[in-house]
Amino acid sequence: MTFRRIGPWIAVLIGALYFLLPLVATFQFSLSMLRGQWSFEAYRVVFADPRFRETFGFSVIAALSTIALGALLVVPTAYWVRLKLPRLRPVVEFVTLLPLVIPPIVIVFGYLRLYNSSSFLPFTGSIWGTNILLIFGYVVLSLPYMYRAVDTGMAAIDIRTLTEAAESLGARRGTVLWRVILPNVRPAVLSGAFLTFAIVIGEFVIASLLNRPAFGPYLQLVGANRAYEPAALAMIAFAVTWASMAMLNVVGGRRQGGIAGAAPRAPRRLFRRRERTEQP
């Protein structure tokens, strides 16, 4: 009986040590750039490197663009499938899971083969076109996580009732999606956005083969030529990823609390518009 109580805690402790000890060793190594003392010299060198600022800024912009494009693609699709095409849900779910099965290197080689400078859609013929192709690749990689988050959020609300109520008040379908559905699934969209941000920041294959100055290839380049700076970069990337995960947990907690304690929201402007039309 005692072992049944202590056994799970022992397994958790072993798992925590398995993951935390390498992180502690990496962090300690990143502080050992100056002999005989611990210092943040490696972090100072990393932050002073203009390539770090350039690549990290590029990846942040790419991540924000990927989040915006992915939300514009996923939210209307998930809404329409749940509202009008429920029989296509298995097909859509299968399509959104394909990026987990197909390796990124296969995807990017397909992009290069189809959208090279000699094709009828020469995305790789210019820097802007290559950047757009990179964002498209990131949208594909983040599609399973973004779609699952949004679809789960829509499953928690009655979108059919909300849509019918808003349309009875005079709202069009675009207004319903923007002012009624999106505010109720906003925490789910933010959850998918944080996962997307973490994926884009550390992605290497697509950015490397498209020759774009992203943070992932910069990590690989520094790791091949330096000793202590790669450890500092690894800790920075780890901090960014776990900050995204912490924000996801915060958003998820607020979402659960909102669902348990309040009804779905509908915009007041729709009710005011209906009241004005009903006045003599």
Side-chain angles (χ1 to χ4, degrees):
M1 190 69 177
T2 305
F3 178 77
R4 291 182 179 180
R5 295 180 178 179
I6 301 178
W9 290 103
I10 295 176
V12 171
L13 180 61
I14 294 174
L17 292 176
Y18 179 80
F19 287 103
L20 292 178
L21 286 179
L23 292 175
V24 173
T26 303
F27 180 66
Q28 180 180 357
F29 183 76
S30 68
L31 301 178
S32 305
M33 189 172 182
L34 299 180
R35 291 187 177 182
Q37 60 178 341
W38 287 357
S39 67
F40 289 93
E41 180 65 18
Y43 295 88
R44 187 197 65 79
V45 173
V46 167
F47 286 120
D49 189 356
R51 292 180 301 172
F52 169 79
R53 297 191 293 269
E54 178 186 358
T55 56
F56 190 78
F58 180 87
S59 291
V60 168
I61 295 175
L64 295 178
S65 302
T66 302
I67 291 169
L69 184 59
L72 289 175
L73 176 65
V74 169
V75 174
T77 301
Y79 169 70
W80 192 256
V81 168
R82 280 195 167 270
L83 184 66
K84 295 293 185 180
L85 303 171
R87 294 183 179 180
L88 291 182
R89 280 195 61 204
V91 178
V92 176
E93 291 180 355
F94 174 77
V95 172
T96 56
L97 286 176
L98 286 179
L100 296 178
V101 180
I102 303 175
I105 191 170
V106 176
I107 296 175
V108 70
F109 268 116
Y111 285 161
L112 292 174
R113 181 69 179 85
L114 187 62
Y115 302 115
N116 56 28
S117 57
S118 61
S119 67
F120 65 98
L121 290 174
F123 279 100
T124 60
S126 64
I127 295 178
W128 280 103
T130 307
N131 291 337
I132 293 174
L133 189 61
L134 177 68
I135 293 173
F136 286 169
Y138 286 162
V139 170
V140 171
L141 290 183
S142 63
L143 194 59
Y145 310 98
M146 179 66 79
Y147 183 82
R148 282 294 176 282
V150 173
D151 187 64
T152 303
M154 289 192 179
I157 62 175
D158 191 350
I159 61 173
R160 186 175 299 277
T161 301
L162 288 174
T163 301
E164 293 176 354
E167 288 180 344
S168 67
L169 295 173
R172 297 182 178 179
R173 189 58 57 86
T175 305
V176 174
L177 181 61
W178 178 253
R179 295 186 179 179
V180 179
I181 302 300
L182 184 59
N184 285 283
V185 299
R186 186 179 300 162
V189 175
L190 291 177
S191 299
F194 290 126
L195 287 172
T196 300
F197 185 84
I199 292 171
V200 172
I201 287 297
E203 201 281 326
F204 167 75
V205 176
I206 297 180
S208 176
L209 292 179
L210 290 179
N211 195 24
R212 303 313 304 138
F215 189 61
Y218 173 74
L219 285 174
Q220 190 276 334
L221 180 63
V222 174
N225 297 282
R226 303 288 182 87
Y228 300 97
E229 290 86 344
L233 283 172
M235 296 307 301
I236 293 172
F238 175 79
V240 171
T241 302
W242 275 92
S244 300
M245 297 299 102
M247 292 298 295
L248 188 153
N249 289 331
V250 171
V251 171
R254 291 179 180 177
R255 174 180 173 274
Q256 292 176 359
I259 293 173
R265 296 178 295 173
R268 296 179 180 178
R269 293 182 180 179
L270 296 179
F271 293 100
R272 292 174 182 173
R273 183 185 305 171
R274 180 61 179 269
E275 290 174 358
R276 288 197 298 267
T277 57
E278 292 181 351
Q279 290 178 358

